[in-house]
Amino acid sequence: MGIRPLLAQSRPSFLEALAHLQAASSKPIAVDESEAFEGDTWWYVPYGWIGCSGHIVDKRAGAVTRLGSSNDLSTCFWAYELGALKEPCTLVIERVHDVARAGDLLRRLDNRSPFNPVPIRADKAWLDVDAVLQSVPTRILTQSLWFALPALREADSTHAFDFRIEA
């Protein structure tokens, strides 16, 4: 991931990102550019409020993605580049390397938290982890992976299972 602070030569196109965000929010936008970041294909605009930690604006399409506040920014950037912030999307588990850890992490994907009102599966409220682990590769249609991001990032960093996201 090539994440870097806003470069001086990038400022003119960052102003375009602000225009896309302003159009999406239909209110005046004021940001501290020293807190802005960019990746190869996106801008992070530090415009948020309680429950919103900012926005990512796609450099090519100008699409705006609002970030919640429950995940840190590095997780948000990782997830955006992976495609895990698309709603809905499909989590494709391709291979399991550590069955016990994979089971623990998959159980964290779907919970009854009041902050996660939408279950991970569109067709049922709980993920059948045993069935998933026995039928790899498998596809899990999700409404949102937002609250699952820490578990997915841990799966990625520990190599408990290989996965990809289809939007």
Side-chain angles (χ1 to χ4, degrees):
M1 252 187 323
I3 300 170
R4 57 197 171 274
L6 181 64
L7 303 173
Q9 62 267 29
S10 300
R11 190 170 187 282
S13 54
F14 179 73
L15 294 176
E16 291 175 30
L18 289 177
H20 286 292
L21 179 55
Q22 185 161 337
S25 67
S26 66
K27 10 177 147 164
I29 305 284
V31 300
D32 180 352
E33 291 181 22
S34 70
E35 295 179 17
F37 292 94
E38 65 178 298
D40 294 335
T41 62
W42 52 266
W43 299 102
Y44 166 69
V45 181
Y47 173 70
W49 48 84
I50 295 173
C52 175
S53 61
H55 295 78
I56 293 178
V57 179
D58 184 85
K59 286 183 178 180
R60 281 184 239 118
V64 175
T65 301
R66 181 178 302 156
L67 305 176
S69 60
S70 64
N71 291 305
D72 62 77
L73 286 178
S74 68
T75 297
C76 294
F77 300 155
W78 169 84
Y80 183 82
E81 291 191 352
L82 189 66
L85 298 183
K86 302 283 186 193
E87 295 181 359
C89 65
T90 301
L91 170 64
V92 181
I93 299 176
E94 297 177 317
R95 186 173 177 189
V96 174
H97 300 286
D98 181 334
V99 173
R101 178 170 267 177
D104 290 343
L105 292 170
L106 288 172
R107 283 180 187 85
R108 287 174 42 199
L109 295 185
D110 193 14
N111 63 58
R112 292 180 187 246
S113 165
F115 300 106
N116 189 12
V118 180
I120 191 108
R121 300 260 324 237
D123 58 337
K124 72 180 191 179
W126 286 96
L127 183 62
D128 185 345
V129 172
D130 294 327
V132 167
L133 292 173
Q134 293 172 7
S135 62
V136 172
T138 191
R139 302 165 61 80
I140 303 166
L141 175 63
T142 71
Q143 294 302 305
S144 172
L145 286 171
W146 181 256
F147 292 100
L149 294 180
L152 286 177
R153 194 161 190 197
E154 187 175 332
D156 188 39
S157 67
T158 62
H159 307 290
F161 56 88
D162 297 337
F163 66 93
R164 63 187 162 81
I165 306 295
E166 295 176 351

